[in-house]
């Protein structure tokens, strides 16, 4: 099995089109097709279902896809590691993050990284927690900043960044607005504003309220922090949010939770083997995080 065969396979699997994949890989379509046929013969199974209208992965192709991605990512990491020994970082650094990463100012850290290592192309995307974790597992992201999940695959490494308590966000006219604290049980029957499922702290809040025996109604679902706080401020529902959200608006009121206060924990997820560029960025992130903690103290 050759590296080029895996690269051709991955290009077709992503485009689901032989002509587009050949154009992307700068190779004649006949050469690309011949390479895939040779790979299928070696593996003893067809990888694609080809018709006049479409291309689909077979069951064998779907099984090979994550392994091919991991293999190519490992080869890329090996090249980066050799370059790093020579004092040079190069290649691509793919980063995923949830919205409003309060524990570290990611744009500033990435800008500093780019200044120090201009030979590395930075790619950045935001998405839901599960999607970002799967992107890391599949080798499409080098690392991702997410809210801690109950279970993450054993082939991934999870490093804690910080945790902060959840608080109640409510409208100025809410009966809760003038309170010093609120018990979770008092939220029974309330309409909620929250993120879409798997987005931000939604899963954490779902688990927290389910464990408290509260069957809640989410009236408004959004995928950005500022919309969530605006809907809360106008009385469309209450929300459980990380304490740092209180810094983002003065139109909503924020009230602490009574008793054993649940916390939202932000973690960074990587493969067990971290590439050179990702390792440098992680060092910068934890250094920046330590600096913020010293400044706050």
């Amino acid at each position: 099995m050759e590296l080029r065969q895996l690269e051709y396979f991955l290009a077709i699997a992503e485009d689901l089109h032989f002509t587009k994949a050949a154009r992307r890989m700068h190779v004649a379509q006949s050469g690309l097709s011949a390479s895939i046929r040779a790979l299928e013969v070696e593996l003893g199974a067809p990888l694609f279902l080809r018709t006049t209208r479409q291309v689909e992965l077979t069951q064998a192709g779907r099984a090979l896809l994550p392994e091919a991605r991991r293999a190519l990512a490992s080869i890329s990491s090996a090249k980066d590691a050799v370059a790093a020994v020579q004092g040079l970082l190069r290649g691509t650094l793919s980063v995923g993050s949830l919205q409003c990463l309060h524990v570290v100012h990611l744009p500033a850290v990435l800008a500093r990284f780019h200044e120090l290592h201009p030979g590395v192309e930075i790619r950045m995307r935001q998405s839901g927690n599960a999607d970002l974790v799967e992107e890391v597992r599949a080798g499409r992201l080098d690392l991702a900043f997410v809210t801690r999940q109950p279970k993450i695959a054993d082939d991934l490494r999870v490093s804690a960044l910080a945790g902060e308590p959840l608080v109640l966000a409510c409208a100025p006219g809410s009966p809760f607005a003038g309170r010093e604290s609120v018990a979770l049980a008092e939220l029974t029957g309330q309409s909620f504003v929250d993120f879409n499922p798997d987005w931000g702290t939604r899963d954490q809040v779902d688990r927290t309220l389910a464990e408290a025996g509260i069957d809640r109604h989410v009236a408004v679902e959004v995928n950005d922090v500022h919309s969530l706080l605006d809907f809360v401020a106008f009385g469309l529902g209450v929300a459980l949010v990380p304490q740092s959200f209180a810094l983002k608006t003065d139109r909503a009121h924020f009230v602490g939770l009574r008793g054993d206060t649940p916390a939202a924990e932000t973690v960074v997820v990587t493969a067990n083997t971290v590439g050179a560029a990702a390792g440098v960025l992680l060092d910068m992130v934890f250094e920046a995080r330590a600096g913020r903690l010293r400044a706050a103290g």
Side-chain angles (χ1 to χ4, degrees):
M1 186 181 300
E2 299 177 358
L3 172 62
R4 181 60 63 181
Q5 289 175 316
L6 290 180
E7 291 175 336
Y8 290 169
F9 165 76
L10 187 57
I12 300 169
E14 291 176 344
D15 291 335
L16 293 178
H17 198 287
F18 275 69
T19 303
K20 290 181 181 178
R23 190 179 303 124
R24 173 147 69 103
M25 298 304 295
H26 306 289
V27 64
Q29 182 175 336
S30 59
L32 180 141
S33 297
S35 181
I36 293 300
R37 282 196 298 271
L39 180 59
E40 290 175 325
V41 170
E42 181 178 350
L43 294 175
L47 300 174
F48 297 100
L49 293 173
R50 308 166 179 84
T51 69
T52 56
R53 293 187 177 183
Q54 63 184 9
V55 175
E56 295 180 0
L57 283 165
T58 63
Q59 185 175 356
R62 289 193 295 271
L64 178 61
L65 183 57
E67 301 302 330
R69 283 183 172 134
R70 275 195 285 268
L72 292 173
S74 295
I75 291 171
S76 178
S77 295
K79 292 178 180 178
D80 293 346
V82 172
V85 170
Q86 299 171 325
L88 173 68
L89 283 183
R90 65 185 184 187
T92 301
L93 176 63
S94 299
V95 181
S97 178
L98 47 75
Q99 281 191 347
C100 292
L101 186 67
H102 76 283
V103 297
V104 64
H105 194 246
L106 192 55
V109 174
L110 289 177
R112 179 61 176 161
F113 179 95
H114 178 66
E115 179 183 350
L116 295 174
H117 309 288
V120 178
E121 178 188 356
I122 298 174
R123 297 176 182 172
M124 170 74 197
R125 66 173 300 230
Q126 291 182 335
S127 188
N129 290 304
D131 180 54
L132 291 174
V133 171
E134 176 56 26
E135 292 286 285
V136 174
R137 193 195 66 79
R140 291 188 290 269
L141 289 177
D142 294 300
L143 66 161
F145 300 92
V146 299
T147 301
R148 183 181 289 277
Q149 303 298 293
K151 183 174 177 57
I152 293 181
D154 293 337
D155 57 348
L156 297 178
R157 187 171 73 185
V158 180
S159 303
L161 276 176
E164 61 175 322
L166 293 174
V167 297
L168 179 71
C170 60
S174 167
F176 300 123
R179 302 269 296 274
E180 290 187 2
S181 63
V182 174
L184 286 177
E186 296 180 79
L187 303 181
T188 300
Q190 293 289 318
S191 289
F192 278 81
V193 180
D194 211 332
F195 296 113
N196 291 322
D198 189 49
W199 197 267
T201 54
R202 171 65 184 267
D203 293 346
Q204 170 70 51
V205 174
D206 283 344
R207 291 193 300 271
T208 295
L209 293 176
E211 290 169 0
I214 297 173
D215 183 17
R216 69 166 176 159
H217 168 63
V218 180
V220 180
E221 292 184 328
V222 299
N223 63 2
D224 72 282
V225 172
H226 297 287
S227 292
L228 182 149
L229 295 176
D230 280 345
F231 279 111
V232 168
F234 279 92
L236 273 298
V238 299
L240 292 182
V241 299
Q243 190 175 51
S244 59
F245 282 20
L247 302 175
K248 301 181 182 300
T249 183
D250 58 3
R251 291 190 290 179
H253 283 234
F254 297 86
V255 184
L257 298 178
R258 193 178 307 147
D260 188 10
T261 304
E265 186 178 14
T266 303
V267 300
V268 56
V269 178
T270 66
N272 283 322
T273 301
V274 180
V280 171
L281 180 65
L282 282 174
D283 289 342
M284 295 175 67
V285 165
F286 281 101
E287 181 180 344
R289 173 59 183 157
R292 291 188 67 173
L293 288 176
R294 286 193 297 270

